[in-house]
Amino acid sequence: MRKPLVAGNWKMNGMRASLIELAGMARAYPAALRAKVDLVVCPPVTLLFPAVASALGSGIAIGAQDCHAKTSGAHTGDLSAAMLFDAGANAVIVGHSERRADHAETDADVKAKAAAVIAEGMTAIVCVGETRAEREAGKALAVVSAQVRASLPEGAKASNVVIAYEPVWAIGTGLTPTIQDIAEMHADIRATLGREIGKDQAAQMRILYGGSVKPQNAKEILDLADVDGALVGGASLKAVDFMAIAEAAG
Ligand code: PGA
């Protein structure tokens, strides 16, 4: 019922020469895989426009990693969702833990950004996740549930919002939660969504896992009932790794 989505987050990595990896992904994404798995790649914004051109006709959607909540105005250095859409983006990651940490983004900020993204007709990939201290204190489920409730924009539906559960301590560390912990968290997020947007929409909304997803561990994670894809950082920089994860989702 839910088509898996594998999203690549290049973070602050990638020069024009890196577009060769995107071309490699496009070549390795035949119609049979396209029918089973959706792909979105989120390069740094400097590469957005050429990435859209390079992915054209491949079925790979191109996204951005952040946006401003407002449409335009006096916000030096910021980019609006409307601008990203104009450059060819179909999706925007909002509330990544690196932005929550580096730029002090709150759930309210994330909610406003997500609202801006869906107002442009794009998909908001809303990130949530607990810190190591929160997990060790037994608070992971409560923390993530609160983030989901406070970060979801008005009008969130399965067609315009994707949730990405990314434990902060698993990002870029090579560490992952146990399979049981991932399964428990994803089921709990779906229950929270059910209370927020209704059981029907919750049943259709995609919940991605992110944090040290690699070709080696992807299948076991993606086979879980409530895991509907992955948000991939490091392993999305190389076409072979990213497409191995896409295959594991199919
Ligand atoms: P990672 O990053 O796959 O390099 O752990 C995931 C993310 O931050 O989205």
Side-chain angles (χ1 to χ4, degrees), residues 42-65:
C42 303
V45 96
T46 46
L47 295 179
L48 199 54
F49 194 68
V52 169
S54 143
L56 201 68
S58 70
I60 299 178
I62 300 298
Q65 302 170 13

Side-chain angles (χ1 to χ4, degrees), residues 9 11 93 96-98 127 166 170-174 210-214 231-236:
N9 173 13
K11 310 190 180 187
I93 298 169
H96 191 282
S97 63
E98 287 153 15
C127 301
E166 299 201 304
I171 294 174
T173 57
S212 296
V213 177
K214 308 281 176 232
L231 180 54
V232 185
S236 73

Side-chain angles (χ1 to χ4, degrees), residues 155-221:
K157 293 188 297 234
S159 58
N160 59 20
V161 169
V162 171
I163 303 292
Y165 166 58
E166 299 201 304
V168 176
W169 53 273
I171 294 174
T173 57
L175 304 172
T176 52
T178 65
I179 285 297
Q180 291 73 18
D181 283 345
I182 296 174
E184 179 186 42
M185 180 62 81
H186 279 241
D188 197 70
I189 292 172
R190 202 172 302 286
T192 299
L193 290 173
R195 291 188 292 273
E196 294 298 306
I197 58 170
K199 282 231 157 38
D200 196 47
Q201 284 300 314
Q204 292 175 54
M205 188 171 280
R206 294 184 285 196
I207 306 173
L208 315 184
Y209 169 78
S212 296
V213 177
K214 308 281 176 232
Q216 298 75 10
N217 62 14
K219 180 109 184 84
E220 192 185 10
I221 296 170

